[in-house]
Amino acid sequence: MDNRGPTKSYISRFYQRESSSGQGVKCQILDEYVAHAVAQNTIIAAHIWKASTQGRDLEEFGLCAEDVNTARNGLFLTRGIEYAF
């Protein structure tokens, strides 16, 4: 993990998004598997609470400000969903 936020692999492990065969990963929103080769270009790690807030007000959701760049504040989803929002 770096200071920009949680990485795809970290969120994938944290939320157990790998297929049992190890051949793909699952979007947290669509709940559909995507092959690793395709996922490299279509699955992203995104913040739920914007990193630019520096964690302000995360306490309302049971998180502390330091959680802004952890997997607890991350989603593993398809790029199109992030662009839509």
Side-chain angles (χ1 to χ4, degrees):
M1 221 167 63
D2 60 28
N3 62 2
R4 292 177 295 156
T7 62
K8 287 194 288 188
S9 62
Y10 183 69
I11 290 177
S12 174
R13 285 189 313 273
F14 186 84
Y15 289 111
Q16 301 172 353
R17 303 315 293 174
E18 288 283 330
S19 66
S20 58
S21 68
Q23 298 298 309
V25 291
K26 192 183 269 192
C27 171
Q28 284 181 274
I29 304 301
L30 298 177
D31 204 34
E32 294 179 1
Y33 284 106
V34 177
H36 281 289
V38 175
Q40 287 183 336
N41 296 318
T42 60
I43 301 283
I44 61 164
H47 284 92
I48 298 169
W49 198 257
K50 290 183 180 182
S52 63
T53 67
Q54 298 177 342
R56 283 186 308 277
D57 300 322
L58 272 176
E59 294 83 13
E60 293 181 39
F61 302 97
L63 301 172
C64 60
E66 292 79 23
D67 288 326
V68 74
N69 284 322
T70 68
R72 293 189 67 205
N73 184 42
L75 280 176
F76 197 62
L77 55 120
T78 58
R79 189 177 302 278
I81 292 173
E82 186 195 38
Y83 289 149
F85 295 95

